Amino acid sequence: MLGRRSSFSGLFSRDIGIDLGTATTLVSVRGQGIVIHEPSVVAIEKRSKRVLAIGAEAKEMVGRTPANIIAIRPLRDGVISDFEVTERMLHYFINKAQQRSPAIFSRPRVVIGIPSGVTEVEKRAVHDAAINAGAREAFLVEEPMAAAIGAGLPVTDSLGSLIVDIGGGTTEVAVISLGGIVVSRSIRIAGDEMDEEIVQYARQKYNLFIGERMAERTKIAIGSAYPLPEERTITIRGRNLITGLPEAIEVSSVEIREALSGPVNVIIESVKSVIDETPPELVADLMEQGIALAGGSAQLQGLAERLSEETKMRVWVAEDPVTCVVRGAEKILEDLDVLHKVLAATQRTHKPRP
């Protein structure tokens, strides 16, 4: 659902789509594809607030900076937590996209994917940040809609489609039909909470304090939501909370699955809740179409199998799930018919449930 209306005389020209994610920001240029895929991290000097690095360079500083430098993520749970830093980050990414694509106008139009559960104040903050960062016009599209379009679902047809977009800060669950969202949930539990659960598990079971990067690496390597054909182990390194000395512990995929069970169960319950509120005619469509998973955390091993077992439906992971939202934004820029149908859907009353 677009957050700002405007008149359209034709297709957007040399414009860009942005997936402003909690963990990662992706930028695509119409007709050129994805040109930027970098972490949503900014390193700043604590006293002067001077920006020292943004994106991949700043991500390398997380947990490794001296006292006068802090590496922060200006978006938390899918919304802006630091407006000024977010504006600078957007300005950096828009400028970088222009440098890589010289044909872009100096002030391009921008389509930005945002969580469906954000407030009007949060929408205005994203919009204003984009305008202040150099965009001529900014249009906001709900992430589940953009993800569904990017995943190739028939969102403008009369068929029902169910998309589960699991990012870093939020999980978006939505049933889409005729270009609009029929039922949806936006919960602030996703990849970040999974990492935090691994940190807490290591602390409570082994008295080992590990960083976010180690937790994320562990989740990617052996994290799962369903028993694996062959269980694996990984060595995690951190600081022993009792001795204060460095320590390495070997943990199994069974343990990490136990650590991740909380966030995974909440996500599954959200999907079941959305299905429960879906009109019967669309449920029949969903049983035929299945459930599409998008977003970086949708790549958690065994998640599709676990969700399929819980819902009794076919569940599949979209091709390149990380880029679904930004690819959907690009398709909206390329296809005026899709844009008009999505705009028309804003006329419907739709209030996402928390």
Side-chain angles (χ1 to χ4, degrees), residues 92-134:
Y92 168 81
F93 285 132
I94 290 173
N95 282 346
K96 193 169 184 178
Q98 290 173 318
Q99 291 168 8
R100 294 186 178 183
S101 308
I104 294 181
F105 291 144
S106 59
R107 292 179 62 84
R109 282 171 172 158
V110 178
V111 170
I112 304 176
I114 59 169
S116 61
V118 300
T119 65
E120 290 301 319
V121 172
E122 290 166 340
K123 287 181 182 179
R124 175 56 59 181
V126 175
H127 174 268
D128 290 349
I131 295 298
N132 293 337

Side-chain angles (χ1 to χ4, degrees), residues 158-161 174-177 180-184 273-287 313:
S158 58
L159 290 172
S161 299
V175 175
I176 299 172
S177 180
I181 295 177
V182 181
V183 185
S184 76
S273 177
V274 166
I275 294 173
D276 184 54
E277 291 188 23
T278 301
E281 294 82 0
L282 294 181
V283 171
D285 294 337
L286 301 184
M287 293 181 71
M313 293 184 184

Side-chain angles (χ1 to χ4, degrees), residues 72-86 125:
I72 65 173
R73 289 175 21 178
L75 292 103
R76 278 289 172 187
D77 300 327
V79 297
I80 293 177
S81 60
D82 190 316
F83 179 83
E84 185 178 345
V85 176
T86 300

Side-chain angles (χ1 to χ4, degrees), residues 23 39 41-42 54-63 71 73 213 216:
V41 181
V42 180
I54 297 175
E57 185 180 351
K59 177 69 178 289
E60 291 300 315
M61 299 182 181
V62 172
R73 289 175 21 178
R213 295 180 65 180
E216 183 182 25

Side-chain angles (χ1 to χ4, degrees), residues 247-262:
E247 187 175 1
I249 297 290
E250 188 174 66
V251 297
S252 70
S253 53
V254 176
E255 292 178 283
I256 300 304
R257 183 161 59 250
E258 179 186 342
L260 297 176
S261 62

Side-chain angles (χ1 to χ4, degrees), residues 145-193:
M145 177 64 76
I149 294 172
L153 298 181
V155 298
T156 58
D157 294 350
S158 58
L159 290 172
S161 299
L162 177 52
I163 183 78
V164 182
D165 179 20
I166 312 173
T170 60
T171 294
E172 308 281 333
V173 186
V175 175
I176 299 172
S177 180
L178 291 172
I181 295 177
V182 181
V183 185
S184 76
R185 286 286 186 283
S186 179
I187 59 173
R188 296 184 176 184
I189 292 179
D192 288 348
E193 281 67 27

